[in-house]
């Protein structure tokens, strides 16, 4: 974290202190961090999801440049400042790795894990962070529901959640979310079952997302112009 202290869109550690416990067994670590709001406490529209994703991709550019995988990207670990900047936090299970790493232990939150992280016989790399971000985007854009769950506002049950998880881990293509256009393609690529067919870098995904945002803005301007002509 000290390496990433000056990086934008990563929760900053102001300072820390390590104290030996009075009984002489172990230590207590005190960490002072900036005060932010978790995104689980706010509501999102499509525009805000795009902004959040761009900010977190910037954070991942820094992380991956230092060979650091976060391994636990999910809404609970994404925060927003009072100025509307999204930041990635909780690096408790991050790991410093090379691109071609050996099989590692299962870490992270299973609901957001890439399939290869669950199947321990497989190796995995930094693209698991890209997968988890894509899945987070899907959930935020789909009324808080993961892929393959019954559509909102239909009720769902524990067996629905379990079945949805199996479908995702077996590599079924995510159902399309209505009303988000090309964002569906970006999310599906980020969450491709085959790691080699995902975005291979945060920068690559960021480029597509910026291009998609520009297209959406242009379409909105055209609609506004048509409405003005009608008036």
């Amino acid at each position: 974290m000290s390496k990433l202290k000056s990086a934008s869109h990563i929760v900053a550690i102001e300072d820390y202190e390590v104290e030996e416990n009075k009984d002489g067994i172990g230590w207590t670590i005190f960490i002072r961090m900036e005060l932010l709001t978790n995104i689980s406490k706010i509501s999102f529209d499509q525009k805000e999801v795009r902004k959040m994703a761009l900010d977190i991709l910037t954070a991942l550019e820094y992380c991956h440049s230092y060979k650091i995988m976060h391994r636990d990207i999910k809404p609970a670990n994404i925060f927003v400042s009072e100025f509307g900047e999204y930041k990635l936090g909780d690096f408790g299970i991050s790991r410093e790795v090379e691109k071609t790493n050996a099989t590692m232990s299962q870490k992270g939150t299973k609901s957001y894990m890439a399939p290869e992280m669950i199947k321990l016989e497989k190796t995995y790399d930094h693209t698991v962070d890209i997968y988890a971000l894509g899945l987070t985007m899907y959930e935020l854009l789909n009324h808080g529901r993961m892929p393959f769950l019954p559509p909102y506002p239909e009720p769902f049950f524990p067996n629905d959640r379990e079945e949805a998880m199996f479908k995702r881990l077996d590599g079924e293509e995510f159902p399309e979310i209505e009303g988000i256009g090309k964002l569906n393609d970006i999310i599906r690529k980020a969450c491709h079952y085959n790691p080699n067919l995902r975005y291979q870098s945060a920068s690559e995904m960021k480029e597509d997302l910026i291009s998609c945002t520009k297209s959406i803005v242009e379409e909105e301007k055209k609609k506004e112009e048509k409405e003005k002509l009608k008036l």
Side-chain angles (χ1 to χ4, degrees):
M1 286 303 296
S2 62
K3 289 181 181 178
L4 301 170
K5 187 173 182 179
S6 61
S8 60
H9 305 299
I10 292 177
V11 177
I13 289 179
E14 304 298 342
D15 59 48
Y16 66 91
E17 186 175 318
V18 182
E19 289 186 1
E20 187 174 0
N21 294 334
K22 291 181 180 179
D23 59 7
I25 302 173
W27 294 264
T28 299
I29 303 172
F30 298 92
I31 304 174
R32 184 164 64 89
M33 308 175 81
E34 60 180 322
L35 182 63
L36 301 165
T37 301
N38 184 257
I39 66 166
S40 61
K41 297 178 181 179
I42 61 177
S43 59
F44 279 83
D45 57 20
Q46 186 187 147
K47 182 179 179 181
E48 207 59 29
V49 170
R50 294 198 307 269
K51 184 182 186 309
M52 179 277 297
L54 286 170
D55 285 355
I56 299 305
L57 284 166
T58 298
L60 288 179
E61 285 177 327
Y62 287 111
C63 292
H64 296 166
S65 70
Y66 279 101
K67 310 285 188 213
I68 295 172
M69 288 194 304
H70 187 278
R71 299 202 294 171
D72 198 22
I73 293 176
K74 57 184 178 181
N77 289 338
I78 299 174
F79 303 84
V80 63
S81 73
E82 59 182 317
F83 302 107
E85 294 179 319
Y86 293 94
K87 302 192 177 191
L88 183 60
D90 196 348
F91 282 72
I93 61 166
S94 62
R95 182 159 178 164
E96 194 166 357
V97 293
E98 295 298 330
K99 184 177 179 182
T100 53
N101 56 71
T103 303
M104 294 177 288
S105 59
Q106 187 183 104
K107 298 288 183 182
T109 305
K110 193 172 182 179
S111 299
Y112 297 87
M113 281 184 181
E116 64 270 25
M117 291 182 77
I118 304 290
K119 300 173 182 179
L120 292 179
E121 73 277 6
K122 294 189 175 184
T123 60
Y124 61 88
D125 60 17
H126 65 281
T127 62
V128 298
D129 287 341
I130 291 171
Y131 184 102
L133 177 59
L135 195 55
T136 297
M137 290 173 66
Y138 190 102
E139 182 183 25
L140 294 174
L141 290 164
N142 194 42
H143 304 283
R145 299 198 176 195
M146 288 293 203
F148 309 110
L149 284 174
Y152 178 84
E154 290 181 23
F156 65 89
F157 305 93
N159 61 306
D160 292 319
R161 194 184 296 276
E162 189 175 340
E163 186 178 338
M165 174 78 78
F166 282 131
K167 287 181 177 180
R168 181 174 71 80
L169 296 178
D170 282 342
E172 289 192 31
E173 187 176 272
F174 288 8
E176 188 167 293
I177 300 174
E178 290 185 14
I180 67 168
K182 294 178 182 178
L183 271 178
N184 278 302
D185 297 330
I186 291 174
I187 291 170
R188 282 173 173 163
K189 183 171 181 179
C191 298
H192 202 288
Y193 181 75
N194 183 343
N196 295 323
L197 298 179
R198 286 178 205 151
Y199 290 105
Q200 294 303 294
S201 69
S203 299
E204 185 185 357
M205 183 175 174
K206 191 175 176 180
E207 188 177 328
D208 269 8
L209 196 53
I210 290 171
S211 178
C212 177
T213 299
K214 285 180 179 178
S215 296
I216 291 170
V217 170
E218 287 174 4
E219 287 176 10
E220 288 175 349
K221 284 182 179 179
K222 287 178 182 178
K223 285 181 181 178
E224 287 178 5
E225 288 173 1
K226 284 182 181 179
E227 290 297 323
K228 286 178 181 178
L229 289 172
K230 288 179 181 178
L231 295 173

